Each structure stands twice: as C-alpha cells, then as structure tokens.
Amino acid sequence: MSTTDADLIIIGAGPAGLTAAQYGARANLKVLAIEQLAPGGQALLIDVLENYPGNVGVGDAPPKTGFEFSRDLHQQAESFGAVFLTDSVLSLNCEGNLFTLTLGNGETRTAPAVILATGAQHRTLDVPGEAEFSGRGVSYCATCDGPFFRNKKIFVAGGGDAACDEAQYLSRLSSQVVLVHRRSRFRAQKALAERVLRNPNIEVRFNTRIKEIRGEVGNQSGGALSGGSLPVPQKVASVILERTGEDGKGIGGAYEEAADAVFIFAGTVPQTSLVPEAEKDENGYIITDQKMASSVPGLFVAGDVRAGPFRQVVVAAAEGAIAAHCAAEYLDRLNG
Ligand SMILES: Cc1cc2nc3c(=O)[nH]c(=O)nc-3n(C[C@H](O)[C@H](O)[C@H](O)COP(=O)(O)OP(=O)(O)OC[C@H]3O[C@@H](n4cnc5c(N)ncnc54)[C@H](O)[C@@H]3O)c2cc1C
C-alpha cells in the first residue's frame, strides 16, 4: 500500500461524490470523501425525488425524498468501506503524481488521484434588498425555510427545475405562491412545468422579474462608538416587480406588491475555485473527456461542476461511477 492518506480522495459528497465513493471502494481502493456540509449536496433540497430511475416507492409509499435518498447513498458508500470526513477543502496542489489537499482545520491529506465533485451553488438575483433580507424572508431553499411562511404570501423567482420543484413544495404550505419568471416559458422538465401550471395554489407570471425586495427595518443600539441606533433589516414586506421583454430584460411598468417571503432559484454557479488551472468552458464548467478526466492528470471531475448538457441526480451519479472506475484504471497504470 502507498504512503499516501488514500488512493482516491473525493471532494464533495453530493450524488456524484457519494456514488464515486461507493464505486471507488468497491474497486478496492482506499477512498476518502471530504464534505464540508452534509452528505447529499443539493439533493438534500429535493422534495420528492420522483425522476430517479427505480425510485417509485413501495406499495402506497411515495418515492424517497432527496433527504432519504442521500442518507441511503451515504450508508451504501460507507458499507463498502469509503471513509467520510467533514471539512472543507481549501486548496488542492499537484506535484508530480501526488495531490495534496489542505483542509479547513489546517491539516493536509494526500492521494495520487482526486475526483472533484463540488457541484454548484445558487446564483443570486443581484437586486436591491436581496442580500439585506437574506435569512429574513429571502431564501434559496424551500425545504429549509418554507415552513416559516405557512399560509403567507410567497414569491418564487426562476423558471428551471429547482424553481418549479420548490414552488410545488411551497404550494403545500401556502395557497398564495406567486412564481415569477422573466421568460415567456419554463426551462423545467415538461412534466414538472405542467404540474406547476395546473396547481391552483401557484399563480405563474411569465415575462416578469423581481426588481427590488423591500422590508421592515428596525433599530438597534449602536453602542458607545456610534453613539446612536443602527438600522437592522427585520423582514421582507414587499417586492417591486417589472415586466420583461423576450430577452428577459426589464421593460418598465414597475409595481409594488406585498410579500412575506421571496425564494430565489436563478440558476447555479460551478464550484471550481480549487482548480484554476483545469480547462473550462465559456460558462466556467470543467471540461473532461468521456472518462471524466480533466486536463490535469489524475484529476477526475463528476456532476454539476462538469461541463455537460443536463444537470440531474441520475447524471451526477452516473458520472461519479465513471470517474471512480476510470480513476481506478489510472491508478493501475500509475502503479505499473
Ligand atoms: C431545489 C432543487 C431541486 C432539484 N430537483 C431535482 C430533481 O427533482 N431531480 C433531479 O434529478 N435533480 C434535481 N436537482 C438537481 C440535483 O440536485 C443536482 O443535479 C445534483 O445534486 C448534483 O450533484 P453533485 O454531486 O454534482 O453536486 P452537489 O449536489 O452540488 O454536491 C456537491 C457537494 O460538494 C460539497 N463541496 C463543495 N465544495 C467543497 C469543498 N471545497 N470542500 C468540501 N466539500 C465541498 C458541497 O457542500 C456539496 O455537498 C435539484 C436541485 C435543486 C437545488
């Protein structure tokens, strides 16, 4: 056995990383998976994972939720011998055939092969009030924050799978869900989009964008230095909406409407900061070959962080399996 900490280190334990961990361990590799939050990644946010092949529920039971699916995937990988560590990877350096990872706790870990499965993070709308009221009515996760807004007026922004999926979830908590999308049709899968359009608790407004989020601001004592009180954002109170043209840009006619919460699903940004040297496409996603190998030898990439046409759990899982399989082949070649 080598003197490195693992044969294969996986960064990120969403569906791609979890599946890679399972396949790597089953290929008899010493696998270490490092996850900064909880195993599952974005899949933890999925209400009912009804489009994963075979996830149909047993008897009258519904299909597994994203949380249940992630829990089972994690247990499955551990049962085959993959080891999980909770920490964030701060840097990834490669010298010769050895990768050295520096963790948030200051320690390092080494391996001759790495799978980057860091996924993607939500994009912001970048409108006034968004950052100010984040956590005070502005949210990027319906399953996390939706229950705080039961029977309240909720705006959802976006037109892809995440926006439609989360609007569906919120519509079970409130009959006043307004889904605004700056285009004239959804990007989401057809079945999901049609369900949203039929849902009596969701009002869909196409060609509309949120221009600003307004709210109540209270005062807090500023202490001796400021000698007065500081304005502190309390909660969302309204949104400024604007009509949009075919290009999705505002065309005026802004109006204000009362709101208790704003859930934003405006797309995602690939998490690639650990590998500035890896080749990327024009949108910043990492380019690989069919074996999930990046332009950096020994660095494989899987899931939402990889340049590909479709970002779903089934795709991430499949790419994780291919990456682990091909990383094992790479290690065989390396060890002669
Ligand atoms: C609300 C919502 C609903 C969705 N609904 C569906 C659906 O119904 N069906 C479907 O198939 N797909 C759905 N998706 C998409 C699906 O969840 C993603 O395609 C999938 O999770 C991508 O998996 P991944 O492993 O590539 O990345 P992610 O799930 O993003 O996981 C990446 C992981 O890497 C970790 N990480 C990142 N950087 C570091 C670091 N430096 N150190 C350590 N860890 C790190 C993150 O914490 C995260 O856990 C939905 C997504 C959202 C947000």
Side-chain angles (χ1 to χ4, degrees), residues 3-60:
T3 54
T4 56
D5 293 303
D7 300 321
L8 174 64
I9 293 183
I10 297 164
I11 309 175
L18 287 169
T19 310
Q22 183 203 142
Y23 272 75
R26 276 174 65 91
N28 225 12
L29 298 179
K30 188 176 173 190
V31 173
L32 173 64
I34 306 173
E35 166 57 52
Q36 62 191 3
L37 299 171
Q42 295 173 71
L44 290 170
L45 307 180
I46 301 172
D47 183 15
V48 178
L49 183 55
E50 63 180 9
N51 62 354
Y52 193 87
N55 185 29
V56 289
V58 180
D60 290 338

Side-chain angles (χ1 to χ4, degrees), residues 11-18 34-52 87-90 117-121 140 161-163 165-166 189 192 265 268 271 273-274 302-305 311-317:
I11 309 175
L18 287 169
I34 306 173
E35 166 57 52
Q36 62 191 3
L37 299 171
Q42 295 173 71
L44 290 170
L45 307 180
I46 301 172
D47 183 15
V48 178
L49 183 55
E50 63 180 9
N51 62 354
Y52 193 87
D87 208 332
S88 56
V89 177
L90 300 185
T118 44
Q121 262 186 13
Y140 303 87
D161 281 359
D165 196 49
E166 299 289 77
Q189 305 157 49
L192 191 53
F265 306 101
T268 50
Q271 298 302 292
S273 58
L274 291 174
D304 276 18
V305 69
R311 297 193 175 85
Q312 290 280 281
V313 173
V314 66
V315 178

